[in-house]
Amino acid sequence: MPYADIGNTRLHIRQRGQGPVALFIHGFPLDSTMWLDQLNGLADIRRCIAMDLRGFGRSTPSTGEPLTMEQHAADLAAVLDLVSEEQADIVGLSMGGYVALAFAELYPDRLRSLALIDTRPGADSEEGKAGRDAAAASLLDDGRSAMATSMETGLLGPEPSPAARARLRTMIEGCAYETVVGALAGMRDRPDRTHVLDSITVPTAVIVGEFDSVTPPAEARLMADAIPDSTLTIVPGAGHLTPIEDPAGATDELRSLFSR
Ligand code: MLT
């Protein structure tokens, strides 16, 4: 089943392995290919499903409407319904973490475990919201290649491998303009979900790159402190994209989480 039909949209999904379902939720402006190493590395213990979120990757194109975290969370629940699974391990990176926290709030009984990677629970500041609008304007003026160049240094650690750089640029430059605009609006308007943290009762792994400047280790520590059954891992050398900067390390952390 490479696609999941949900209402009038079609979501592209990548699947590997057998067993309990783990859902992998990518960041912005990325797609399901960011999880390829984890899908291969965890296929012996999980039915791993990496989704292209609504509007992203090979899913039905969006028309520029705000892509909200709540809509994405509803799509996760719909995918679980389609594969007849009540619960899943939810693994989210950055924007995918915002979606995972929306899912934890809206569908708490459907969580088996949670991995929050390079993400944060809070809403955008006023400055951050203005930055979203500025980012949409400069994308439309300067194009995706310029966006990839301006994002690259902020997203990767100080000594990224050529493979990590290549994967990041391919994803950013392959993301539809409408999707970038809609995702920026959806992130800009997302609510603060800090209050959700202490209600999370499932095993949780908070994972962050040592050099993550978007959602730094200090913020990750606060998030882990607020979640009752959580661990914090700071990944040496990585920036904001731990699963592609240290694929084996991220896979090992998830393997430990799934066996808790
Ligand atoms: C991401 O990696 O998903 C983004 O950095 C999230 C954000 O811009 O808030």
Side-chain angles (χ1 to χ4, degrees):
M1 184 178 70
Y3 291 95
D5 286 312
I6 297 168
N8 59 3
T9 208
R10 171 167 277 203
L11 300 182
H12 174 244
I13 59 180
R14 292 173 194 278
Q15 297 199 63
R16 303 272 189 290
Q18 309 283 332
V21 166
L23 278 184
F24 292 78
I25 319 301
H26 61 78
F28 164 86
L30 311 179
D31 60 55
S32 59
T33 63
M34 66 157 286
W35 300 112
L36 289 174
D37 295 293
Q38 287 71 44
L39 264 52
N40 289 330
L42 296 163
D44 59 326
I45 52 166
R46 285 293 185 271
R47 179 178 179 185
C48 299
I49 302 179
M51 299 168 53
D52 283 336
L53 290 173
R54 189 173 281 250
F56 288 84
R58 289 205 239 152
S59 293
T60 303
S62 77
T63 51
E65 72 282 8
L67 294 166
T68 68
M69 304 308 116
E70 295 75 22
Q71 175 67 67
H72 291 314
D75 288 342
L76 265 57
V79 167
L80 288 184
D81 290 343
L82 278 175
V83 297
S84 306
E85 285 282 322
E86 187 49 36
Q87 290 194 321
D89 307 285
I90 304 288
V91 180
L93 173 111
S94 197
M95 182 186 74
Y98 310 159
V99 174
L101 286 172
F103 186 88
E105 179 173 40
L106 298 171
Y107 308 95
D109 297 340
R110 306 201 73 173
L111 269 183
R112 182 184 309 106
S113 73
L114 183 62
L116 296 168
I117 308 178
D118 299 307
T119 192
R120 63 155 70 87
D124 281 2
S125 62
E126 287 310 312
E127 190 188 355
K129 288 180 201 283
R132 302 286 189 197
D133 296 338
S138 77
L139 164 77
L140 296 171
D141 289 340
D142 304 330
R144 286 180 294 204
S145 176
M147 178 170 78
T149 301
S150 81
M151 289 182 82
E152 197 187 313
T153 7
L155 292 184
L156 297 172
E159 291 176 22
S161 68
R165 292 188 61 200
R167 291 177 71 186
L168 176 60
R169 290 198 72 103
T170 296
M171 288 188 278
I172 295 179
E173 294 187 33
C175 189
Y177 285 83
E178 297 90 327
T179 299
V180 175
V181 167
L184 285 165
M187 290 192 289
R188 177 196 62 204
D189 298 339
R190 76 188 192 282
D192 184 358
R193 288 206 157 83
T194 306
H195 64 279
V196 176
L197 301 178
D198 68 2
S199 68
I200 296 171
T201 53
V202 297
T204 299
V206 175
I207 301 167
V208 65
E210 176 188 11
F211 297 108
D212 185 344
S213 57
V214 182
T215 51
E219 267 191 79
R221 188 175 299 282
L222 289 176
M223 185 162 66
D225 285 348
I227 302 175
D229 183 10
S230 70
T231 58
L232 172 68
T233 304
I234 299 176
V235 179
H240 183 62
L241 296 178
T242 307
I244 66 171
E245 294 182 84
D246 184 1
T251 302
D252 287 349
E253 291 300 329
L254 293 173
R255 184 174 286 276
S256 308
L257 171 67
F258 296 163
S259 61
R260 262 159 70 190

